[in-house]
Amino acid sequence: MAAVAASSHAPTPLLKDELDIVIPTIRNLDFLEMWRPFFEQYHLIIVQDGDPSKTINVPEGFDYELYNRNDINRILGPKASCISFKDSACRCFGYMVSKKKYIYTIDDDCFVAKDPSGKQINALEQHIKNLLSPSTPHFFNTLYDPYREGADFVRGYPFSLREGVKTAVSHGLWLNIPDYDAPTQLVKPLERNSRYVDAVLTIPKGTLFPMCGMNLAFDRELIGPAMYFGLMGDGQPIGRYDDMWAGWCIKVICDHLGLGVKTGLPYIWHSKASNPFVNLRKEYKGIYWQEEIIPFFQAVALPKDCTSVQKCYIELSKQVKEKLSKIDPYFDKLADAMVTWIEAWDEQNPAGAAAEKPNGKA
Amino acid sequence: MSQANIEKSEIDIVIGALHSDLTAFMNEWKPVFSQFHLIVVKDPDLSAELLIPEGFNLDVYTKSDIDRVVGSATSILFSGYSCRYFGYLVSRKKYIISVDDDCVPARDNNGSLVDAVAQHITNLTTPATPFFFNTLYDPYCKGADFVRGYPFSLRSGVTCALSCGLWLNLADYDAPTQALKPEQRNSRYVDAVLTVPARSLMPVSGINIAFSRELLGPALIPALRLAGEGKLRWETVEDVWSGMCAKVICDHLGLGVKTGLPYVWRNERGNAIESLRKEWEGVKLMEEVVPFFQSVRLPESAITAEDCVVEMAKAVKEQLGQSDPMFARAAEVMVEWVKLWKKVGSS
């Protein structure tokens, strides 16, 4: 049975000195007012995209550091080329410079949602619960997260697999405006997600998923270097695939390193529907490129000696260069950027940041 | 496909009667069952007469029917929970839905009665998506869709052959778990149906299940029988074994398996602590089979469920048969079952 039953009754630790909240923005941070009761105790890392001369207003009382493009260029020098401009992909710079164990990232058009009883959802608390309890990628539990209060492993679930593995990523969902691609948005402009699915579940090993960066938390020590959000936006042929790219990379690496990825609760309220025509222009290459990218990721095999996230990621970048460049020269650039990212990560996070998995288990 | 397109005449509801008095059970299910044909199979070990209320279109099968159809020279045992497999065998319908006789309809979060049959049929007649996980769960459900980043070429999905429902109140826990948490009851209604990804294994519970008999029929088999198997779910693993085989077969044939809605309400029965003695055997066995199921691969030449069962049986015999006679026996039963299915099960 679930060994961590005790913790489900104890209050969730705040982790206020161990978690940074990373927010990319070009407009303002008014949305933080609504999150104040839940976020005020945490340190924020704000990554300002777009025009660096603009001043971003941060509501009073929040403890934060803010980086605009000039800061990124100054800090990374030539390596700043790997950080996207004019795309929320730039947020991964925040992951890199954070000094904390955990990251929560949220979009500035995401607000506090309510659960079916009308109670406000503390999304951060749920993400922390998800990250602090094990995942179960090796065997699917039909009652979803067995470590949640009121649940457990079902009959037939092998006892040897009930300890689970460490959770590296917690992927939350969205009520109201769902995360649809442009074609779907065009066909269903009025569709709203009103279904509150009261579940957290582990995405099984060997299965890929579309990771959305709107409401996402992860253990930076376990998977941080793989959370590169790619080359998007200004000067790039593609947009709105930053989180997707990171999601495919982290899932392959988590599967290789024996780490877990959860999806489901918590929900946030996504208020803004972006323009589907603008989205279509950004996404359209991604839509047909992904038909080849997905089989690539499904077939990726990482060698046994890739025992750290960085090693896995560098190996992945080699395979991207080898196998995806033929789709478009963009992937050649992306593979280089992936290497630059790791170099920059290691510079910003020297000695000891590269956590080798003790068993090196493939 | 809209539900209206599915003829009620394409569906059989199979009930394994482990209790003789089915009055309360049938009356509770009447709003849901009354429009369908039912097959009730009486546990051959049950001596008392079955009590079934009026108002249903049904056929009842008892020990004498089983003996007549199957014959005596067989290693297949239809006692206890396995009696329902006889119902699967003799049905001639496209879809089968089966629930345990200690379950009644559940209520959803709005207090409405859950039509488990309708939900299972929806699950079986809308595609499954085993090759890529959709984070908004069932994309074919009203109000949902595929999310950004879901490959378009995978959006037509595959045929769903197996629908696994869930349970409120008494969840399908094993005896050790329930014994250690005697007060725990499942009150969480998770409003989702999702496809279990390809190559992921899961414990399939026979308590609330539906499948395409046409596509998968022969793959659900009463093969693994515990020495101390009893009349409580805590004392069996027949469905878990059957389900693991069925999942491997579905993955091989490119068919989908869904899990989630519908819920049924499972009533209190039995004592988990007492069952601990019997089920421990099953728990131990499960440990041995997981690596086997994770690695077993069926040959490309196996293109029907029957072919797949034959191949699975070979693999079971070769790879597990040595470690425990129970597995060797299971393999035998699987082979016999296919023969029986060809003789009796195909129309």
Side-chain angles (χ1 to χ4, degrees):
Chain A
M1 74 255 26
V4 288
S7 69
S8 62
H9 301 291
T12 309
L14 273 182
L15 302 183
K16 62 182 174 68
D17 296 321
E18 297 173 69
L19 184 146
D20 274 339
I21 303 178
V22 172
I23 307 167
T25 188
I26 51 167
R27 11 176 194 246
N28 60 65
L29 295 168
D30 295 348
F31 86 117
L32 282 177
E33 274 310 329
M34 200 192 184
W35 286 102
R36 192 182 284 276
F38 306 117
F39 286 4
E40 203 167 26
Q41 302 191 67
Y42 297 88
H43 180 71
L44 312 181
I45 296 181
I46 299 166
V47 184
Q48 178 185 343
D49 197 16
D51 183 1
S53 65
K54 188 171 170 200
T55 312
I56 299 290
N57 220 5
V58 184
E60 285 244 7
F62 283 98
D63 166 45
Y64 70 95
E65 54 196 283
L66 186 147
Y67 301 93
N68 61 28
R69 191 69 208 186
N70 295 336
D71 299 313
I72 295 173
N73 291 338
R74 177 178 45 83
I75 293 169
L76 294 186
K79 296 195 174 77
S81 60
C82 74
I83 303 295
S84 303
F85 185 54
K86 294 222 180 128
D87 193 286
S88 64
C90 65
R91 73 176 82 209
C92 62
F93 177 78
Y95 309 159
M96 186 193 282
V97 297
S98 163
K99 301 284 172 272
K100 306 284 174 57
K101 180 162 162 65
Y102 302 100
I103 297 275
Y104 175 46
T105 186
I106 184 172
D107 279 13
D108 61 9
D109 59 354
C110 293
F111 293 82
V112 179
K114 290 199 170 112
D115 70 20
S117 73
K119 183 168 167 244
Q120 294 213 317
I121 299 169
N122 182 345
L124 191 47
E125 185 184 57
Q126 183 64 52
H127 276 299
I128 291 171
K129 279 189 179 144
N130 293 349
L131 290 171
L132 294 183
S133 60
S135 295
T136 52
H138 300 299
F139 211 90
F140 189 90
N141 191 46
T142 46
L143 273 190
Y144 314 109
D145 185 346
Y147 306 99
R148 270 187 94 194
E149 206 179 313
D152 213 307
F153 290 98
V154 298
R155 178 175 57 99
Y157 200 103
F159 272 80
S160 57
L161 295 177
R162 294 192 188 197
E163 263 184 36
V165 301
K166 284 198 215 164
T167 303
V169 179
S170 168
H171 177 264
L173 296 174
W174 347 272
L175 290 171
N176 194 40
I177 309 285
D179 189 24
Y180 288 160
D181 52 49
T184 310
Q185 277 182 293
L186 285 164
V187 167
K188 295 179 167 189
L190 301 177
E191 185 148 279
R192 298 291 175 262
N193 185 23
S194 54
R195 181 175 289 114
Y196 185 91
V197 177
D198 190 2
V200 180
L201 60 137
T202 300
I203 301 180
K205 181 177 175 176
T207 303
L208 294 172
F209 76 114
M211 184 178 84
C212 173
M214 258 198 267
N215 173 22
L216 181 72
F218 59 94
D219 184 323
R220 207 175 146 274
E221 279 173 19
L222 288 180
I223 198 66
M227 276 289 185
Y228 174 47
F229 271 38
L231 290 173
M232 304 278 144
D234 210 45
Q236 307 299 342
I238 188 175
R240 281 171 58 87
Y241 268 83
D242 51 339
D243 42 6
M244 296 299 135
W245 181 262
W248 301 324
C249 292
I250 61 99
K251 188 57 168 62
V252 160
I253 293 174
C254 281
D255 285 353
H256 176 81
L257 293 177
L259 300 170
V261 175
K262 291 184 179 176
T263 186
L265 302 183
Y267 282 90
I268 48 85
W269 180 270
H270 185 211
S271 66
K272 199 169 178 291
S274 37
N275 184 308
F277 297 101
V278 170
N279 288 346
L280 189 55
R281 239 184 303 126
K282 291 181 184 174
E283 284 173 12
Y284 89 99
K285 283 207 161 127
I287 286 176
Y288 60 84
W289 283 349
Q290 78 189 358
E291 295 300 331
E292 299 196 55
I293 297 173
I294 298 299
F296 163 76
F297 277 103
Q298 284 172 333
V300 158
L302 296 171
K304 276 192 167 72
D305 61 5
C306 289
T307 49
S308 72
V309 178
Q310 284 93 326
K311 285 185 185 153
C312 289
Y313 204 73
I314 296 290
E315 173 61 30
L316 203 51
S317 73
K318 287 191 192 134
Q319 296 192 28
V320 168
K321 195 179 259 271
E322 214 181 281
K323 302 190 176 135
L324 294 180
S325 299
K326 58 175 157 55
I327 303 177
D328 191 279
Y330 165 76
F331 291 98
D332 203 50
K333 269 177 41 184
L334 180 59
D336 289 339
M338 288 168 77
V339 175
T340 306
W341 160 266
I342 294 294
E343 287 169 358
W345 180 283
D346 284 344
E347 256 175 36
Q348 297 300 315
N349 299 281
E356 293 264 344
K357 247 192 77 69
N359 300 328
K361 191 163 150 227
Chain B
M1 193 188 299
S2 88
Q3 198 134 331
N5 294 346
I6 306 306
E7 289 292 329
K8 298 195 161 43
S9 60
E10 292 182 89
I11 300 164
D12 259 340
I13 299 177
V14 173
I15 306 296
L18 272 72
H19 300 93
S20 53
D21 188 353
L22 295 179
T23 317
F25 170 80
M26 297 293 283
N27 284 334
E28 293 267 13
W29 281 104
K30 197 162 193 175
V32 177
F33 284 1
S34 58
Q35 324 157 63
F36 299 95
H37 176 250
L38 280 86
I39 291 178
V40 178
V41 185
K42 185 181 167 194
D43 177 3
D45 295 340
L46 200 57
S47 46
E49 282 296 311
L50 281 185
L51 287 171
I52 300 175
E54 295 279 322
F56 294 92
N57 168 18
L58 53 74
D59 286 306
V60 181
Y61 296 90
T62 62
K63 184 176 192 307
S64 52
D65 298 303
I66 298 174
D67 291 341
R68 179 179 44 82
V69 169
V70 173
S72 47
T74 177
S75 51
I76 308 172
L77 292 172
F78 289 99
S79 71
Y81 285 100
S82 297
C83 65
R84 57 162 64 173
Y85 291 94
F86 184 78
Y88 301 169
L89 185 68
V90 298
S91 165
R92 289 291 172 268
K93 303 293 171 63
K94 188 169 177 192
Y95 302 105
I96 288 187
I97 295 162
S98 198
V99 297
D100 278 4
D101 67 358
D102 54 5
C103 295
V104 295
R107 286 189 184 273
D108 65 19
N109 287 330
N110 299 323
S112 315
L113 205 74
V114 172
D115 185 342
V117 173
Q119 182 65 55
H120 274 305
I121 293 301
T122 300
N123 293 351
L124 291 172
T125 54
T126 51
T129 51
F131 304 118
F132 207 85
F133 190 89
N134 191 46
T135 48
L136 277 189
Y137 313 108
D138 181 2
Y140 305 99
C141 187
K142 192 160 184 273
D145 212 306
F146 289 98
V147 297
R148 174 174 59 96
Y150 201 103
F152 275 78
S153 62
L154 295 178
R155 294 193 189 196
S156 31
V158 301
T159 309
C160 179
L162 183 62
S163 167
C164 305
L166 294 173
W167 343 270
L168 289 173
N169 193 41
L170 205 67
D172 192 12
Y173 292 141
D174 51 50
T177 306
Q178 194 73 68
L180 267 136
K181 293 181 173 183
E183 303 306 314
Q184 178 139 309
R185 297 294 177 270
N186 187 24
S187 55
R188 185 175 288 128
Y189 185 97
V190 178
D191 187 9
V193 177
L194 58 139
T195 298
V196 182
R199 290 181 325 275
S200 295
L201 292 175
M202 60 187 286
V204 171
S205 168
I207 296 173
N208 172 16
I209 197 173
F211 59 97
S212 161
R213 187 183 177 281
E214 192 179 62
L215 293 172
L216 198 62
L220 291 159
I221 310 166
L224 192 69
R225 191 171 194 89
L226 297 179
E229 183 166 302
K231 309 296 186 188
L232 293 171
R233 278 290 182 195
W234 289 315
E235 298 163 354
T236 70
V237 286
E238 54 84 12
D239 49 352
V240 177
W241 173 270
S242 185
M244 301 263 264
C245 293
K247 180 62 166 62
V248 168
I249 290 171
C250 282
D251 286 350
H252 175 81
L253 294 175
L255 299 171
V257 175
K258 291 185 184 177
T259 187
L261 304 180
Y263 280 88
V264 296
W265 180 274
R266 189 162 172 245
N267 284 318
E268 310 285 323
R269 190 157 93 74
N271 184 316
I273 294 173
E274 281 174 24
S275 294
L276 264 175
R277 275 179 300 122
K278 291 184 183 176
E279 206 219 347
W280 195 245
E281 190 198 348
V283 162
K284 270 193 297 162
L285 274 182
M286 284 314 298
E287 292 305 321
E288 297 182 48
V289 307
V290 172
F292 165 75
F293 280 106
Q294 283 172 334
S295 61
V296 69
R297 292 288 178 266
L298 302 175
E300 273 190 41
S301 53
I303 54 171
T304 63
E306 280 103 329
D307 294 344
C308 290
V309 174
V310 169
E311 294 298 327
M312 280 291 311
K314 271 190 212 151
V316 169
K317 184 168 177 200
E318 267 163 34
Q319 296 174 47
L320 293 175
Q322 314 306 325
S323 66
D324 195 309
M326 202 144 315
F327 298 126
R329 202 194 147 262
E332 260 176 49
V333 171
M334 289 164 78
V335 170
E336 272 227 41
W337 178 261
V338 173
K339 291 189 188 142
L340 187 60
W341 191 276
K342 285 186 172 148
K343 197 174 97 177
V344 176
S346 329
S347 29

